[in-house]
Amino acid sequence: MKFIKNRDLFRQLNYVNGEWCGAKNSSVLSVTNPATGETLGTIPNAGEEDTQLAIHAAKSAFQDWKSRPAKERANLLRKLYQLVMENQDDLGLIMTQEQGKPLVEAKGEVAYAASYIEWFSEEAKRAYGDVIPSHRKDTRILVLKEPIGVVGTITPWNFPAAMLARKVAPALAAGCTVVSKPSELTPYSALALAYLAELAGIPKGVWNVIVGDAKPIGKVILESKDVKKLSFTGSTKTGMYLMEKSAATLKKLSLELGGNAPFIVFDDANLDEAVKAAMLSKYRNTGQTCVCVNRFLVEESVAEEFSKRLAAKTKELIVGNGLEPNSNQGPLINSSAKEKVKLHIEDAMKKGAKVLVGGKEHSLGGNFFEPTVLYPVTSEMLATQEETFGPVSCIQTFKTEEEAVYLANNTDFGLASYLFTGNIARLFRVAEQLEYGMVGINEGIISSEQVPFGGVKFSGMGREGSKYGLDDYMVTKYLCIGGIQ
């Protein structure tokens, strides 16, 4: 791993029960830089035995961690937050090299991840219960919130620090212990955070991180009766599989799954602001975000102008290695991601879409692809039916407000949506009809630690962040106290 100052942050081992260790089978996997193809290092290819040990460590640590005062857990999380921010530059460099995103974005993600740790360090002290008026004079009714137990987390490659922090921070704040399985494509950000948690003083066994092939690790987590909760971010197909396989142990689930985000632009919108927001929402992380725009739905009377402006701004994007100071578009994560982008563009062109800018592999080769704008597109095209997860803007037109709402909702997915209008009545009217967990209104960036992040329909269940984020890691216990005269 190049350029980092604190070499201790670069970890190539599992973290189980406070110890850094290899896989029991001694096998390893290589991790490569998607921008250059060079090997960054190796990780253990953990299997079932490693996972069982991590679950046992978390179970053994649970009672002590649960019983500690909330303020003590809060203070430890606060220390972790401070350490993450102190190491922001190095953590950004690690992320850019393993994931590919521009360094400025990577550092931004580190701060975003830290914000969840800070938020839940504060929320740990606010897991309030209730006193309920009793139905009888001689009883009192109390409601307590208690940690659910051992939590398994499975996180993706596109936001390797933020997705992890969004799950681990509330779990630890609630008093749960954790077994985390980060993506084998981007493991080093997660392992660096685990190292900082160790430095912060979080006790051994409270947070365990194992890396390697998802199948054996996931199998043990799903089948274990000791794992009471599973939190997953990834594809809808995988989320459905996890839900099915966890049924035998009745795990509590949080699933943040795929999206097909619409970005609706009415003719009364401020087009300059809409295009500015569109660029931020669409091309962040090279379009590899679950809440990025997948479909632009633009009122017919302004569609040509919006398309022209969006294409002009898209043409200004600079593609390159994320470590280069001027680049603002990194590579796609791998060749499979690139092939999906190509497939969606080819399908759209066959069905009548025109390429206004981009449309092909970048001259840099490898996993780089030109930022692209397609116009006009239709609902029959793959790019509007599926999540492209790449730097492709697809612009579709509509004539009426009713048609816009229909097109936006005509999908199985319901994570993020966006709406641009200058009409306050329409603003409320349309937002309330959109079947999505989140609606950005005249705004392209909607994520922060204060808000309840999550979707509906095939985009999953549960919420991360905000005051609601702690609830997914807690159970409600009712106490009925009798004999009070």
Side-chain angles (χ1 to χ4, degrees):
M1 184 65 66
K2 299 177 181 177
F3 311 118
I4 61 173
K5 296 176 182 177
N6 184 356
R7 301 297 301 178
D8 289 335
L9 289 168
F10 182 50
R11 297 276 156 164
Q12 301 183 77
L13 296 170
N14 293 321
Y15 183 62
V16 177
N17 202 28
E19 301 293 334
W20 294 94
C21 52
K24 292 297 181 182
N25 59 21
S26 300
S27 67
V28 297
L29 298 173
S30 295
V31 180
T32 60
N33 184 330
T36 65
E38 66 180 315
T39 298
L40 298 173
T42 62
I43 53 170
N45 189 13
E48 294 187 15
E49 186 178 358
D50 304 287
T51 312
Q52 292 283 12
L53 289 172
I55 293 171
H56 177 74
K59 183 182 178 182
S60 299
F62 174 61
Q63 287 302 325
D64 174 66
W65 184 245
K66 169 187 176 182
S67 65
R68 296 192 181 208
K71 187 172 183 178
E72 182 178 343
R73 296 197 300 269
N75 288 340
L76 290 171
L77 284 169
R78 182 74 189 184
K79 289 180 183 177
L80 175 56
Y81 160 75
Q82 291 168 341
L83 286 169
V84 171
M85 292 308 298
E86 287 170 10
N87 289 275
Q88 182 180 12
D89 289 349
D90 278 350
L91 292 171
L93 284 165
I94 289 172
M95 189 185 302
T96 291
Q97 291 176 81
E98 68 174 353
Q99 200 276 339
K101 65 182 61 180
L103 184 57
V104 65
E105 283 192 34
K107 290 180 182 180
E109 183 185 333
V110 171
Y112 178 55
S115 73
Y116 282 95
I117 300 170
E118 181 186 36
W119 176 267
F120 285 108
S121 74
E122 297 161 349
E123 288 297 293
K125 297 175 284 188
R126 302 188 185 111
Y128 301 135
D130 293 295
V131 178
I132 297 176
S134 179
H135 58 298
R136 285 170 29 195
K137 290 175 63 176
D138 63 343
T139 64
R140 300 293 184 272
I141 298 173
L142 306 181
V143 176
L144 308 179
K145 295 286 188 69
E146 295 186 341
I148 193 169
V150 177
V151 173
T153 74
I154 302 176
T155 48
W157 50 263
N158 58 334
F159 288 91
M163 299 300 98
L164 189 67
R166 252 179 16 192
K167 301 176 188 305
V168 174
L172 298 184
C176 298
T177 53
V178 182
V179 176
S180 292
K181 194 283 174 194
S183 170
E184 64 274 18
L185 299 177
T186 55
Y188 295 132
S189 292
L191 293 168
L193 290 177
Y195 169 69
L196 294 177
E198 182 183 31
L199 285 188
I202 292 176
K204 68 177 186 178
V206 170
W207 185 19
N208 308 272
V209 181
I210 49 175
V211 290
D213 186 356
K215 289 184 178 179
I217 297 172
K219 179 177 183 291
V220 175
I221 290 174
L222 288 169
E223 293 177 353
S224 175
K225 292 181 180 179
D226 292 327
V227 178
K228 305 299 183 184
K229 155 89 181 186
L230 175 63
S231 183
F232 168 76
T233 296
S235 73
T236 295
K237 181 179 179 181
T238 302
M240 290 177 172
Y241 173 83
L242 295 176
M243 191 171 189
E244 177 188 352
K245 295 301 180 182
S246 64
T249 54
L250 287 177
K251 298 188 195 311
K252 188 174 184 179
L253 292 175
S254 293
L255 301 174
E256 196 253 288
L257 308 177
N260 189 5
F263 188 107
I264 306 171
V265 182
F266 287 98
D267 63 1
D268 55 15
N270 182 320
L271 289 189
D272 287 335
E273 291 300 316
V275 170
K276 180 180 177 181
M279 294 298 294
L280 291 171
S281 180
K282 172 69 250 186
Y283 294 110
R284 186 164 55 102
N285 201 21
T286 317
Q288 299 173 117
T289 80
C290 53
V291 295
C292 78
V293 181
N294 203 56
R295 302 170 290 148
F296 288 97
L297 305 175
V298 185
E299 193 159 0
E300 200 171 63
S301 58
V302 294
E304 290 281 350
E305 182 63 22
F306 178 85
S307 301
K308 183 171 68 174
R309 295 189 193 189
L310 184 64
K313 287 294 183 182
T314 300
K315 197 170 184 178
E316 295 175 2
L317 293 171
I318 301 172
V319 177
N321 187 320
L323 294 177
E324 295 172 2
N326 293 326
S327 67
N328 49 33
Q329 291 287 284
L332 292 162
I333 188 64
N334 54 29
S335 59
S336 296
K338 184 179 69 174
E339 290 304 312
K340 184 178 183 180
V341 168
K342 288 170 62 178
L343 173 66
H344 279 197
I345 293 173
E346 290 166 3
D347 173 79
M349 292 176 66
K350 286 178 183 176
K351 295 173 181 176
K354 304 297 182 184
V355 176
L356 302 188
V357 64
K360 60 184 185 295
E361 295 181 53
H362 198 273
S363 59
L364 289 171
N367 297 319
F368 292 98
F369 203 93
E370 292 181 347
T372 299
V373 177
L374 301 176
Y375 171 74
V377 302
T378 66
S379 298
E380 290 70 39
M381 298 174 184
L382 287 175
T384 61
Q385 297 172 7
E386 302 175 359
E387 191 174 31
T388 302
F389 232 61
V392 181
S393 293
C394 300
I395 303 171
Q396 185 173 3
T397 64
F398 65 87
K399 293 181 179 179
T400 66
E401 181 179 308
E402 292 74 20
E403 184 185 7
V405 171
Y406 170 78
L407 290 171
N409 289 339
N410 188 29
T411 175
D412 287 332
F413 300 96
L415 188 58
S417 58
Y418 305 88
L419 162 64
F420 277 74
T421 178
N423 183 319
I424 193 166
R426 173 182 279 160
L427 178 158
F428 281 102
R429 191 167 58 240
V430 174
E432 290 168 1
Q433 292 180 76
L434 290 174
E435 297 168 355
Y436 290 83
M438 300 175 285
V439 183
I441 302 170
N442 297 330
E443 177 58 56
I445 299 296
I446 59 175
S447 301
S448 73
E449 74 276 16
Q450 302 101 325
V451 304
F453 189 103
V456 296
K457 301 195 292 188
F458 279 26
S459 291
M461 62 187 72
R463 293 295 180 267
E464 296 183 318
S466 81
K467 68 176 185 178
Y468 305 104
L470 211 59
D471 289 343
D472 276 347
Y473 298 89
M474 306 194 83
V475 292
T476 301
K477 179 185 285 185
Y478 147 56
L479 307 182
C480 182
I481 306 169
I484 298 175
Q485 300 295 338

